[in-house]
PDB file of all heavy atoms in Angstrom:
ATOM      1  N   GLU A 631    -148.576  98.646 225.927  1.00  0.00           N
ATOM      2  CA  GLU A 631    -148.841  99.704 226.902  1.00  0.00           C
ATOM      3  C   GLU A 631    -149.322  99.169 228.246  1.00  0.00           C
ATOM      4  O   GLU A 631    -149.685  99.940 229.120  1.00  0.00           O
ATOM      5  CB  GLU A 631    -149.885 100.676 226.339  1.00  0.00           C
ATOM      6  CG  GLU A 631    -149.436 101.377 225.073  1.00  0.00           C
ATOM      7  CD  GLU A 631    -148.158 102.178 225.272  1.00  0.00           C
ATOM      8  OE1 GLU A 631    -148.035 102.859 226.300  1.00  0.00           O
ATOM      9  OE2 GLU A 631    -147.284 102.110 224.400  1.00  0.00           O
ATOM     10  N   SER A 632    -149.315  97.876 228.419  1.00  0.00           N
ATOM     11  CA  SER A 632    -149.838  97.306 229.659  1.00  0.00           C
ATOM     12  C   SER A 632    -148.900  97.568 230.833  1.00  0.00           C
ATOM     13  O   SER A 632    -147.686  97.739 230.669  1.00  0.00           O
ATOM     14  CB  SER A 632    -150.056  95.805 229.512  1.00  0.00           C
ATOM     15  OG  SER A 632    -148.830  95.125 229.568  1.00  0.00           O
ATOM     16  N   ARG A 633    -149.466  97.561 231.991  1.00  0.00           N
ATOM     17  CA  ARG A 633    -148.688  97.733 233.216  1.00  0.00           C
ATOM     18  C   ARG A 633    -147.705  96.579 233.377  1.00  0.00           C
ATOM     19  O   ARG A 633    -146.572  96.770 233.813  1.00  0.00           O
ATOM     20  CB  ARG A 633    -149.605  97.834 234.419  1.00  0.00           C
ATOM     21  CG  ARG A 633    -148.865  98.017 235.718  1.00  0.00           C
ATOM     22  CD  ARG A 633    -149.837  98.231 236.881  1.00  0.00           C
ATOM     23  NE  ARG A 633    -149.115  98.473 238.087  1.00  0.00           N
ATOM     24  CZ  ARG A 633    -148.635  99.651 238.473  1.00  0.00           C
ATOM     25  NH1 ARG A 633    -148.803 100.708 237.719  1.00  0.00           N
ATOM     26  NH2 ARG A 633    -147.988  99.786 239.601  1.00  0.00           N
ATOM     27  N   GLU A 634    -148.122  95.377 232.993  1.00  0.00           N
ATOM     28  CA  GLU A 634    -147.254  94.203 233.096  1.00  0.00           C
ATOM     29  C   GLU A 634    -145.974  94.401 232.272  1.00  0.00           C
ATOM     30  O   GLU A 634    -144.875  94.091 232.729  1.00  0.00           O
ATOM     31  CB  GLU A 634    -147.991  92.955 232.618  1.00  0.00           C
ATOM     32  CG  GLU A 634    -147.179  91.696 232.704  1.00  0.00           C
ATOM     33  CD  GLU A 634    -147.924  90.485 232.168  1.00  0.00           C
ATOM     34  OE1 GLU A 634    -149.136  90.584 231.881  1.00  0.00           O
ATOM     35  OE2 GLU A 634    -147.265  89.444 232.022  1.00  0.00           O
ATOM     36  N   VAL A 635    -146.119  94.930 231.072  1.00  0.00           N
ATOM     37  CA  VAL A 635    -144.955  95.169 230.220  1.00  0.00           C
ATOM     38  C   VAL A 635    -144.074  96.253 230.821  1.00  0.00           C
ATOM     39  O   VAL A 635    -142.849  96.107 230.893  1.00  0.00           O
ATOM     40  CB  VAL A 635    -145.372  95.517 228.776  1.00  0.00           C
ATOM     41  CG1 VAL A 635    -144.187  96.019 227.960  1.00  0.00           C
ATOM     42  CG2 VAL A 635    -146.002  94.310 228.108  1.00  0.00           C
ATOM     43  N   ARG A 636    -144.679  97.333 231.269  1.00  0.00           N
ATOM     44  CA  ARG A 636    -143.892  98.411 231.883  1.00  0.00           C
ATOM     45  C   ARG A 636    -143.108  97.899 233.087  1.00  0.00           C
ATOM     46  O   ARG A 636    -141.933  98.228 233.263  1.00  0.00           O
ATOM     47  CB  ARG A 636    -144.794  99.574 232.280  1.00  0.00           C
ATOM     48  CG  ARG A 636    -145.309 100.376 231.106  1.00  0.00           C
ATOM     49  CD  ARG A 636    -145.933 101.697 231.536  1.00  0.00           C
ATOM     50  NE  ARG A 636    -146.866 101.602 232.638  1.00  0.00           N
ATOM     51  CZ  ARG A 636    -148.178 101.393 232.513  1.00  0.00           C
ATOM     52  NH1 ARG A 636    -148.717 101.259 231.320  1.00  0.00           N
ATOM     53  NH2 ARG A 636    -148.957 101.336 233.569  1.00  0.00           N
ATOM     54  N   ASP A 637    -143.751  97.088 233.923  1.00  0.00           N
ATOM     55  CA  ASP A 637    -143.080  96.536 235.102  1.00  0.00           C
ATOM     56  C   ASP A 637    -141.946  95.595 234.694  1.00  0.00           C
ATOM     57  O   ASP A 637    -140.868  95.619 235.294  1.00  0.00           O
ATOM     58  CB  ASP A 637    -144.068  95.804 235.999  1.00  0.00           C
ATOM     59  CG  ASP A 637    -145.043  96.736 236.691  1.00  0.00           C
ATOM     60  OD1 ASP A 637    -144.820  97.965 236.690  1.00  0.00           O
ATOM     61  OD2 ASP A 637    -146.052  96.232 237.234  1.00  0.00           O
ATOM     62  N   ALA A 638    -142.188  94.759 233.688  1.00  0.00           N
ATOM     63  CA  ALA A 638    -141.156  93.821 233.234  1.00  0.00           C
ATOM     64  C   ALA A 638    -139.962  94.568 232.636  1.00  0.00           C
ATOM     65  O   ALA A 638    -138.812  94.195 232.875  1.00  0.00           O
ATOM     66  CB  ALA A 638    -141.745  92.840 232.216  1.00  0.00           C
ATOM     67  N   VAL A 639    -140.224  95.613 231.870  1.00  0.00           N
ATOM     68  CA  VAL A 639    -139.145  96.410 231.282  1.00  0.00           C
ATOM     69  C   VAL A 639    -138.333  97.080 232.385  1.00  0.00           C
ATOM     70  O   VAL A 639    -137.096  97.026 232.378  1.00  0.00           O
ATOM     71  CB  VAL A 639    -139.704  97.457 230.290  1.00  0.00           C
ATOM     72  CG1 VAL A 639    -138.640  98.478 229.917  1.00  0.00           C
ATOM     73  CG2 VAL A 639    -140.259  96.774 229.051  1.00  0.00           C
ATOM     74  N   ARG A 640    -139.001  97.688 233.329  1.00  0.00           N
ATOM     75  CA  ARG A 640    -138.310  98.366 234.432  1.00  0.00           C
ATOM     76  C   ARG A 640    -137.448  97.373 235.221  1.00  0.00           C
ATOM     77  O   ARG A 640    -136.273  97.638 235.507  1.00  0.00           O
ATOM     78  CB  ARG A 640    -139.295  99.051 235.377  1.00  0.00           C
ATOM     79  CG  ARG A 640    -138.593  99.860 236.481  1.00  0.00           C
ATOM     80  CD  ARG A 640    -139.531 100.410 237.529  1.00  0.00           C
ATOM     81  NE  ARG A 640    -140.047  99.325 238.352  1.00  0.00           N
ATOM     82  CZ  ARG A 640    -141.293  98.860 238.312  1.00  0.00           C
ATOM     83  NH1 ARG A 640    -142.184  99.398 237.520  1.00  0.00           N
ATOM     84  NH2 ARG A 640    -141.672  97.869 239.089  1.00  0.00           N
ATOM     85  N   GLU A 641    -138.000  96.210 235.530  1.00  0.00           N
ATOM     86  CA  GLU A 641    -137.249  95.224 236.302  1.00  0.00           C
ATOM     87  C   GLU A 641    -136.040  94.708 235.506  1.00  0.00           C
ATOM     88  O   GLU A 641    -134.949  94.553 236.039  1.00  0.00           O
ATOM     89  CB  GLU A 641    -138.146  94.065 236.714  1.00  0.00           C
ATOM     90  CG  GLU A 641    -137.454  93.119 237.660  1.00  0.00           C
ATOM     91  CD  GLU A 641    -138.377  92.054 238.230  1.00  0.00           C
ATOM     92  OE1 GLU A 641    -139.517  91.896 237.761  1.00  0.00           O
ATOM     93  OE2 GLU A 641    -137.919  91.363 239.145  1.00  0.00           O
ATOM     94  N   PHE A 642    -136.228  94.464 234.204  1.00  0.00           N
ATOM     95  CA  PHE A 642    -135.118  94.011 233.371  1.00  0.00           C
ATOM     96  C   PHE A 642    -134.001  95.055 233.350  1.00  0.00           C
ATOM     97  O   PHE A 642    -132.830  94.729 233.554  1.00  0.00           O
ATOM     98  CB  PHE A 642    -135.592  93.712 231.946  1.00  0.00           C
ATOM     99  CG  PHE A 642    -134.466  93.346 231.019  1.00  0.00           C
ATOM    100  CD1 PHE A 642    -133.936  92.074 231.025  1.00  0.00           C
ATOM    101  CD2 PHE A 642    -133.925  94.282 230.152  1.00  0.00           C
ATOM    102  CE1 PHE A 642    -132.879  91.730 230.192  1.00  0.00           C
ATOM    103  CE2 PHE A 642    -132.877  93.953 229.309  1.00  0.00           C
ATOM    104  CZ  PHE A 642    -132.343  92.674 229.332  1.00  0.00           C
ATOM    105  N   VAL A 643    -134.361  96.305 233.112  1.00  0.00           N
ATOM    106  CA  VAL A 643    -133.355  97.372 233.040  1.00  0.00           C
ATOM    107  C   VAL A 643    -132.629  97.507 234.371  1.00  0.00           C
ATOM    108  O   VAL A 643    -131.397  97.653 234.404  1.00  0.00           O
ATOM    109  CB  VAL A 643    -133.992  98.707 232.592  1.00  0.00           C
ATOM    110  CG1 VAL A 643    -133.020  99.866 232.741  1.00  0.00           C
ATOM    111  CG2 VAL A 643    -134.473  98.598 231.153  1.00  0.00           C
ATOM    112  N   GLU A 644    -133.345  97.435 235.471  1.00  0.00           N
ATOM    113  CA  GLU A 644    -132.700  97.536 236.784  1.00  0.00           C
ATOM    114  C   GLU A 644    -131.723  96.390 237.010  1.00  0.00           C
ATOM    115  O   GLU A 644    -130.597  96.611 237.465  1.00  0.00           O
ATOM    116  CB  GLU A 644    -133.755  97.543 237.897  1.00  0.00           C
ATOM    117  CG  GLU A 644    -134.523  98.839 237.988  1.00  0.00           C
ATOM    118  CD  GLU A 644    -135.659  98.784 238.998  1.00  0.00           C
ATOM    119  OE1 GLU A 644    -135.866  97.725 239.649  1.00  0.00           O
ATOM    120  OE2 GLU A 644    -136.356  99.799 239.141  1.00  0.00           O
ATOM    121  N   LYS A 645    -132.126  95.178 236.693  1.00  0.00           N
ATOM    122  CA  LYS A 645    -131.263  94.010 236.938  1.00  0.00           C
ATOM    123  C   LYS A 645    -130.061  94.001 236.010  1.00  0.00           C
ATOM    124  O   LYS A 645    -128.940  93.738 236.442  1.00  0.00           O
ATOM    125  CB  LYS A 645    -132.043  92.709 236.788  1.00  0.00           C
ATOM    126  CG  LYS A 645    -133.141  92.514 237.796  1.00  0.00           C
ATOM    127  CD  LYS A 645    -132.606  92.390 239.196  1.00  0.00           C
ATOM    128  CE  LYS A 645    -133.759  92.186 240.171  1.00  0.00           C
ATOM    129  NZ  LYS A 645    -133.342  92.317 241.552  1.00  0.00           N
TER     130      LYS A 645
END
Side-chain angles (χ1 to χ4, degrees):
E631 298 301 317
S632 76
R633 180 175 183 84
E634 181 182 351
V635 169
R636 288 193 313 270
D637 290 347
V639 167
R640 184 187 71 252
E641 187 173 11
F642 175 80
V643 170
E644 287 174 0
K645 295 295 180 191

